[in-house]
């Protein structure tokens, strides 16, 4: 056999894969395509890759705020005007914070929205007392800081409460650290009760329950006020009319068995004789009684 000569053919160098290319050579893979992401999905109702139209991945539901972000917004903006905080600040029984200037303006113009119907005067809100610090919040308003723990109350992660007796706002952990027998504000040493504790920036479910409690208390207050006014005014004219009519009827009734007049008595009684008439006349003149012509 003739000697076979082997030739050496070197292998070509491997091609460098592109970081921007996908597995099929033409699709750029994103995180929404490779990982199941909340809020993203197939926009078409058809299932599968083949169909009348191409499948695309995009946002299929509206974006919502998580509780932390929602608390951060409510602790940094006026609930009535949705503007950043500007001192002085006030709070209501529902745990909302307001710019006092905005509340006064709505009360004077009588343009308070129905959602804030529990605020009918300045006595239904309380001036807020908090630590004064430099700088502004993320939304450009006044910062809220706990005067006890020095924690930021407008970061969304710290739950805050207000004491209605003194108006001090602080972190909720301050009250948790106190003993149940101790009911004294850590900032101003003023006493308070459990009813004075108002949670700030609560969620929607707790807000509905607080609104129902306020509506019930307001209905009871109006009922008690109406009852007190009715008792103070006395019986109504409609109730007095039957009683007055009955009293008038009883007053005009005449006693039974007695003659109404002398004329009727002379008509229906026994006929008087001349001697009896003379006796009556003598009795009226001399004050004594005569029998059958016998005089005094």
């Amino acid at each position: 056999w003739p000697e076979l000569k082997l030739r050496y053919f070197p292998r070509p160098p491997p091609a460098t894969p592109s970081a921007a290319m996908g597995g099929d050579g033409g699709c750029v893979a994103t995180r929404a395509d490779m990982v199941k992401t909340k809020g993203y999905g197939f926009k078409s109702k058809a299932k599968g890759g083949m169909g009348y139209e191409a499948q695309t991945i995009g946002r299929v539901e509206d974006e919502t705020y998580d509780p932390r972000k929602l608390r951060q917004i409510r602790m940094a903006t006026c609930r009535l005007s949705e503007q950043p905080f500007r001192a002085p600040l006030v709070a209501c029984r529902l745990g909302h914070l307001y710019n006092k200037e905005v509340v006064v303006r709505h009360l004077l113009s009588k343009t308070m929205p129905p959602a804030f119907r529990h605020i009918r005067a300045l006595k239904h809100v309380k001036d807020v007392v908090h630590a004064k610090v430099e700088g502004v919040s993320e939304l450009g308003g006044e910062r809220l800081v706990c005067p006890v723990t020095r924690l930021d109350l407008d970061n969304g992660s710290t739950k805050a409460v207000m004491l209605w007796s003194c108006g001090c706002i602080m972190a909720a952990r301050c009250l948790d650290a106190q003993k149940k027998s101790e009911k004294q504000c850590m900032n101003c040493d003023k006493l308070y009760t459990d009813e004075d504790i108002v949670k700030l920036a609560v969620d929607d479910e707790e807000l509905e329950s607080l609104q129902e409690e306020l509506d019930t208390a307001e209905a009871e207050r109006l009922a008690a006020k109406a009852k007190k006014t009715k008792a103070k005014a006395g019986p109504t004219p409609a109730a007095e009319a039957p009683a007055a009519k009955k009293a008038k009827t009883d007053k005009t009734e005449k006693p039974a068995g007695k003659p109404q007049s002398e004329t009727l008595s002379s008509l229906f009684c026994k006929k008087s004789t001349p001697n009896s008439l003379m006796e009556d006349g003598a009795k009226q003149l001399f004050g004594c009684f005569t029998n059958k012509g016998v005089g005094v």
Side-chain angles (χ1 to χ4, degrees), residues 72 75-76 85 87 89 97 128-138 141-156 158-162 167-174 185-187 200:
Q72 181 183 8
M75 291 295 296
F85 285 152
L89 305 179
L97 295 172
V128 170
V129 179
H130 61 92
K132 302 294 183 181
V133 293
E134 298 181 356
V136 295
S137 62
E138 294 182 4
E142 186 172 353
R143 293 181 58 192
L144 297 182
V145 178
C146 175
V148 181
T149 61
R150 309 303 294 182
L151 293 174
D152 291 334
L153 302 179
D154 53 2
N155 57 4
T158 304
K159 295 183 179 180
V161 296
M162 185 196 71
C168 296
I169 63 173
M170 61 189 68
R173 64 181 66 180
C174 296
C185 178
M186 290 185 176
N187 185 38
L200 300 178

Side-chain angles (χ1 to χ4, degrees), residues 80 102-114 116 119-121:
L80 193 57
V102 178
V103 176
V104 173
R105 188 188 311 123
H106 280 275
L107 289 176
L108 293 178
S109 60
K110 297 182 180 180
T111 57
M112 191 66 68
F116 306 96
I119 303 177
R120 299 180 299 277

Side-chain angles (χ1 to χ4, degrees), residues 25-39:
C27 178
V28 178
T30 60
R31 186 177 185 277
D33 296 332
M34 306 299 294
V35 182
K36 185 176 181 180
T37 308
K38 184 179 180 181

Side-chain angles (χ1 to χ4, degrees), residues 142-279:
E142 186 172 353
R143 293 181 58 192
L144 297 182
V145 178
C146 175
V148 181
T149 61
R150 309 303 294 182
L151 293 174
D152 291 334
L153 302 179
D154 53 2
N155 57 4
S157 59
T158 304
K159 295 183 179 180
V161 296
M162 185 196 71
L163 301 180
W164 193 266
S165 58
C166 58
C168 296
I169 63 173
M170 61 189 68
R173 64 181 66 180
C174 296
L175 302 184
D176 298 338
Q178 278 186 326
K179 296 181 180 179
K180 294 183 178 180
S181 59
E182 297 178 356
K183 299 294 183 181
Q184 191 173 6
C185 178
M186 290 185 176
N187 185 38
C188 63
D189 296 335
K190 191 172 183 179
L191 298 178
Y192 66 91
T193 61
D194 293 337
E195 296 180 354
D196 294 331
I197 301 176
V198 179
K199 296 180 181 180
L200 300 178
V202 297
D203 54 4
D204 295 338
E205 294 181 1
E206 191 171 358
L207 183 61
E208 291 180 0
S209 62
L210 291 175
Q211 185 67 59
E212 291 178 359
E213 292 178 3
L214 286 181
D215 293 342
T216 303
E218 179 63 17
E220 293 177 356
R221 186 188 69 84
L222 294 177
K225 184 178 180 180
K227 185 177 180 180
K228 185 177 179 180
T229 305
K230 184 177 180 181
K232 187 176 180 180
T236 59
E240 292 179 351
K245 185 177 180 181
K246 183 178 180 180
K248 186 177 180 180
T249 304
D250 295 341
K251 187 176 181 180
T252 54
E253 288 181 354
K254 297 180 180 180
K258 295 184 179 180
Q260 298 182 359
S261 65
E262 295 293 336
T263 306
L264 294 177
S265 177
S266 62
L267 291 176
F268 297 100
C269 295
K270 185 177 179 180
K271 188 175 181 180
S272 301
T273 59
N275 293 333
S276 62
L277 295 176
M278 293 176 64
E279 291 174 358

